[in-house]
Amino acid sequence: MVLFIIQKTITRLLLRWNKMETYENMFVLDGKNMKTYPSLYDEISEKLNFPDYFGRNLDALNDCMSDLSWIKGESMVICIQNGDMVLESEN
């Protein structure tokens, strides 16, 4: 299972985290670091520790997110801070 949480500030989420189900993998991405497609791929692959074969395109992103064999455990939470800034330079 993958749960995406996108909000401008992540503080409230982290304060409530103790009340949520415990996930084995929690990743925090920052939209400030994902303003273009290349920087989006860099941030995601670095923070989520994608395998070396990640192809840095949307198909490869879909492949890695669909087949989670590269992570330990059965679940993950991906939080995106500053989500309004994701791909803002691509417009």
Side-chain angles (χ1 to χ4, degrees):
M1 173 174 70
V2 178
L3 171 65
F4 287 94
I5 301 170
I6 303 172
Q7 58 184 72
K8 286 185 180 180
T9 59
I10 207 152
T11 307
R12 287 176 290 177
L13 170 70
L14 295 177
L15 290 174
R16 290 188 219 150
W17 189 251
N18 291 331
K19 298 177 186 175
M20 297 176 69
E21 180 181 344
T22 301
Y23 290 92
E24 297 162 65
N25 300 288
M26 179 175 170
F27 304 96
V28 179
L29 307 176
D30 193 338
K32 290 179 184 178
N33 300 330
M34 299 188 293
K35 293 182 179 182
T36 64
Y37 280 104
S39 63
L40 175 129
Y41 299 134
D42 289 343
E43 177 80 354
I44 292 174
S45 64
E46 178 184 326
K47 296 284 176 76
L48 275 67
N49 300 311
F50 274 6
D52 292 337
Y53 59 79
F54 174 61
R56 296 180 45 84
N57 60 57
L58 289 176
D59 287 335
L61 178 61
N62 181 57
D63 290 346
C64 282
M65 295 305 295
S66 297
D67 172 19
L68 300 178
S69 63
W70 49 269
I71 66 164
K72 294 179 184 175
E74 297 294 319
S75 60
M76 82 166 100
V77 175
I78 299 172
C79 302
I80 302 176
Q81 220 174 359
N82 302 304
D84 57 328
M85 299 178 83
V86 174
L87 298 178
E88 85 173 0
S89 295
E90 291 291 331
N91 295 328

